[in-house]
Amino acid sequence: MARMSTLATRQHQMFPVLDAVQVETATRFASGPSRRFAAGETVYAIGEQGAPAWLVLEGAIHVFRRDGLSHEAAVTVHGPGQLTGEVNQLAGRPSIATGRAGPEGCTVLPFDAAHLRALMVGSADVGEVIMRALILRRVGLIEEGGAGTILIGVPGSPDIVRLQGFLTRAGYPNLVLDVAADGEGHDMVVRLGVLPGELPLVVCPNGTLLRRPADGDLASCLGMMPDLDPATIYDVAIVGAGPAGLAAAVYAASEGLSVIVLDERAMGGQAGASSRIENYLGFPTGISGQALAGRAFNQALKFGAEIAVPLPVLRLDCERCVESGDPLTLELAGDRSIRAGAVIIASGARYRRPAIADLATFEGAGISYWASPIEARLCAGEEIALVGGGNSAGQAVVFLAGHVKRLHMFVRRDLSETMSRYLIDRIAALPNVEIHVGSEVTALEGDRAGGLTGATFRNIADGTTHQCPLRHMFLFIGADPNAAWLAGCVDTDDKGFVVTGTGALPLETSRPGVFAIGDVRAGSTKRVAAAVGEGAAVVAQIHAAIAARAGEEQ
C-alpha cells in the first residue's frame, strides 16, 4: 500500500483555523496594523527575505510552491482565522512558498519573526497550534519534492550527494534534476554554457544560480546565515549544534539569555545522522536523529536563539578572559568574529578516518560516514560493507539491511563488547547480514570518477587478506574530539578531550567562562540523553558563574 503523505493525513493540523478567542489573542502580538491586498496581488513571494507570517482576517490567500524550474503547484488556500508561513518565518529567513490574494482580495495581519516567537511563548494554547502547523508544513514541502532548492547534475555524483545531504540535514526541501534526462534541466545548462566541471548547478528559491557551490555558499543563498554584528555581545555562544549544543540553546534562550549557536557542518551532530535512536527516554518506538535534531532546532528558534550553520569556528581568543571583564571572542571563517560573556564547547567529535591510502578520494564516491535515506537509495539492491561495531554502526546496519541485497559487517572484536543487546539481537535476525569478526579494511580500489569498486580486508589474527568487490562502504569506527580550534586555550586529556571540573563548577574548563559539554568533554557518557542533560545543566552553572562574578564586583 502506498504511503499517504503528511499533507493528506494531517491537513487539519497543517492548516488549522483559529477560533474567535484565539484570533483575538493572536492580534495582541501582531507586528503592525492590518493590510488590504487586492485580488491577485502578491502578499509574499518565494525567496522574500524576512517575509512575515500573515493572519487572514477577511478573504483568502492562495499559496503556491515551486514545481520544478518553471512551474507552480497549489499548496492550500488560507481563509479567515488561518496563518501563513512555515518554520522559516520563525527566524525571518526567506520564504520558500508564495502567497497571492484570492479573487475578492484579503485583509491580513502581519507577524514578523520576533512577534511570531512572542506569540508562541506568550500564549501556550495558540503557540502549540501554530508551531505544529509550521513544522508540518515544512515536512509537507519536503515530501512534495518540487519546492525549495533545485539541484541540476548527475544523480549520485559526489557533489550532488554532498549538497543533498547538507540540505536534507538542514531540513530544506530540494529536488534533483538529471542533467542528461530532464529536459528543463538540460536546456538550462546548455543555455547558460555550464561546463561539466561546474556541475551541479543549483537554483535557489529566489532564482539565484550557483555553480558547484560549497555548503556555506548554498547556506548564504538560502538565507540560513544570520547577519553577525561584531558589536553585539551575546550572553552565551555555543559551538556545536548537536544534541548537547541545541539543548543548551533551548534552556539558555528560554531563560532570557541572548544565544548564538555555531556549527561548521549541520545541525544534529553525529546523532543527527542516526537512522533511528531507540533508547532515548520518551520515544518507545524510536526517533531518527534528524527528527530529534529538527525538533530541538525549532525549539531553539522559538525562544529566540540565533543559529549559524555552516560556519566554522577557527579559534578562541585566549588573550581575553572574563575575569578581567572582557567578553570572550570567537574568530570565525570569513574574517568574522563574535563576542560573548560565556562560551559553551559542544563541538562533539569528528568521524574517525582509518589510515588507508587515498581514503579522501572515495569520500562521497562510495565511502560514507553516515547512513541516511540518500545513501540507502544509492546502494539499493547491492552488496555493501560496513565497518564498525558500536551502537551507531548497529543502527546503520538495521536501517541499510532493508534496502540492500547483502551487507557485510566487519568488526575488530565481538559485538557484545561494544554494542547494546537490543541491536545485537536485531542484527542476528537479519538474513542478509554477514558479520566478520576480527577483520579490518586495509586498501580501497577505484578512482574518483568511477567511484569505489572494491576493498581489501585483513584478518587481524593471522594476517591473511581477501578482496571484496563493492561500490559502497560505510565507516563507523568511532570518533575523535573536535577540539583543534581550542589549541592552547583549555586543558585536555591525552586523547584531546576537554577536561572540566577542575574549578568550582563541574562543567567549566580550565579557562573561566568557558564550559564543555557532550562528546567533546573528557569523561562524558556517549549517549544522546547524557548530552541533552549536560546541555541543561551547563545553563544553571553559567547563571551561577555570572552571579559569582557579580558578587565579586560589589
Side-chain angles (χ1 to χ4, degrees):
M1 180 181 294
R3 177 178 175 267
M4 294 185 70
S5 71
T6 299
L7 191 67
T9 60
R10 303 183 69 175
Q11 189 153 345
H12 65 291
Q13 293 179 319
M14 293 179 73
F15 306 112
V17 180
L18 303 183
D19 61 31
V21 174
Q22 291 172 322
V23 169
E24 182 180 356
T25 298
T27 300
R28 299 199 298 268
F29 294 88
S31 56
S34 63
R35 288 186 56 186
R36 180 73 187 174
F37 289 87
E41 186 177 358
T42 297
V43 180
Y44 58 95
I46 292 176
E48 181 180 337
Q49 181 71 45
W54 295 92
L55 176 62
V56 180
L57 303 178
E58 295 178 358
I61 295 178
H62 292 245
V63 180
F64 302 88
R65 63 169 176 84
R66 189 189 298 278
D67 185 14
L69 284 173
S70 58
H71 303 286
E72 287 185 339
V75 176
T76 191
V77 177
H78 290 300
Q82 292 187 295
L83 192 77
T84 68
E86 47 87 48
V87 293
N88 266 9
Q89 273 54 61
L90 277 177
R93 293 177 175 176
S95 174
I96 55 177
T98 189
R100 293 189 284 270
E104 298 179 358
C106 63
T107 301
V108 290
L109 201 60
F111 293 79
D112 63 20
H115 289 80
L116 185 60
R117 295 194 299 266
L119 168 59
M120 290 186 173
V121 174
S123 172
D125 174 30
V126 179
E128 178 184 351
V129 172
I130 293 175
M131 176 59 91
R132 181 186 297 114
L134 299 186
I135 293 172
L136 289 175
R137 290 173 193 175
R138 172 60 68 88
V139 173
L141 288 170
I142 292 172
E143 287 186 353
E144 293 296 323
T149 305
I150 310 296
L151 310 178
I152 304 171
V154 180
S157 63
D159 282 312
I160 283 285
V161 171
R162 170 179 60 82
L163 293 171
Q164 271 189 294
F166 171 72
L167 290 168
T168 300
R169 290 194 64 177
Y172 270 73
N174 60 89
L175 175 68
V176 175
L177 300 181
D178 188 335
V179 68
D182 183 85
E184 275 193 310
H186 176 75
D187 291 346
M188 175 174 280
V189 168
V190 172
R191 186 170 65 253
L192 295 175
V194 179
L195 300 174
E198 296 177 312
L199 292 175
L201 183 68
V202 178
V203 185
C204 298
N206 64 1
T208 300
L209 299 177
L210 303 175
R211 303 183 186 214
R212 198 183 178 188
D215 293 352
D217 296 329
L218 179 53
S220 295
C221 191
L222 295 175
M224 294 170 61
M225 302 294 292
D227 293 328
L228 300 179
D229 183 354
T232 299
I233 300 177
Y234 295 91
D235 293 322
V236 181
I238 302 169
V239 183
L246 289 174
V250 168
Y251 283 98
S254 67
E255 293 179 15
L257 299 177
S258 59
V259 178
I260 185 167
V261 183
L262 309 124
D263 196 289
E264 66 178 347
R265 179 168 293 183
M267 66 178 183
Q270 285 191 300
S274 177
S275 56
R276 182 163 297 274
I277 302 170
E278 295 190 65
N279 57 356
Y280 186 55
L281 186 67
F283 293 90
T285 60
I287 184 171
S288 72
Q290 184 180 341
L292 184 64
R295 294 183 185 192
F297 176 83
N298 290 325
Q299 274 184 294
L301 290 182
K302 169 184 173 180
F303 290 116
E306 291 186 44
I307 301 178
V309 179
L311 183 56
V313 176
L314 302 182
R315 65 183 292 269
L316 172 65
D317 186 349
C318 302
E319 301 303 317
R320 301 173 185 269
C321 65
V322 294
E323 290 179 320
S324 64
D326 294 330
L328 296 156
T329 300
L330 290 171
E331 297 180 5
L332 314 175
D335 198 27
R336 290 173 285 189
S337 65
I338 60 167
R339 296 183 295 167
V343 169
I344 298 175
I345 304 165
S347 46
R350 293 181 180 275
Y351 298 105
R352 187 171 295 156
R353 288 162 166 78
I356 303 173
D358 299 324
L359 176 64
T361 300
F362 299 99
E363 292 178 336
I367 295 292
S368 300
Y369 297 92
W370 53 84
S372 76
I374 295 172
E375 286 75 32
R377 287 194 296 270
L378 289 174
C379 62
E382 297 189 16
E383 193 159 329
I384 70 170
L386 185 145
V387 181
N391 276 2
S392 294
Q395 291 160 356
V397 168
V398 171
F399 171 65
L400 291 170
H403 299 269
V404 303
K405 177 182 178 181
R406 190 158 192 81
L407 189 153
H408 295 273
M409 186 178 188
F410 293 89
V411 294
R412 295 175 63 88
R413 54 187 185 274
D414 191 87
L415 289 181
S416 62
E417 299 179 41
T418 57
M419 188 179 294
S420 295
R421 172 51 58 181
Y422 80 94
L423 285 170
I424 295 174
D425 293 341
R426 190 163 298 170
I427 291 171
L430 296 171
N432 63 335
V433 174
E434 183 177 346
I435 301 174
H436 306 268
V437 179
S439 296
E440 61 182 3
V441 59
T442 59
L444 303 173
E445 300 172 13
D447 55 45
R448 183 71 177 177
L452 184 70
T453 59
T456 300
F457 296 88
R458 183 178 72 90
N459 184 290
I460 298 173
D462 59 21
T464 57
T465 63
H466 72 278
Q467 195 273 347
C468 181
L470 52 87
R471 296 179 59 247
H472 299 278
M473 178 186 294
F474 295 82
L475 299 179
F476 287 83
I477 59 172
D480 297 314
N482 186 12
W485 59 278
L486 292 162
C489 284
V490 299
D491 291 343
T492 60
D493 66 11
D494 57 355
K495 295 182 179 179
F497 291 93
V498 178
V499 174
T500 60
T502 56
L505 299 169
L507 296 174
E508 194 167 29
T509 69
S510 57
R511 183 165 295 273
V514 180
F515 299 77
I517 57 176
D519 288 356
V520 74
R521 188 178 70 82
S524 66
T525 301
K526 305 300 188 282
R527 291 289 186 271
V528 173
V532 170
E534 290 184 6
V538 74
V539 176
Q541 293 179 31
I542 287 174
H543 281 303
I546 292 173
R549 288 199 297 270
E552 292 173 358
E553 294 172 359
Q554 292 178 355

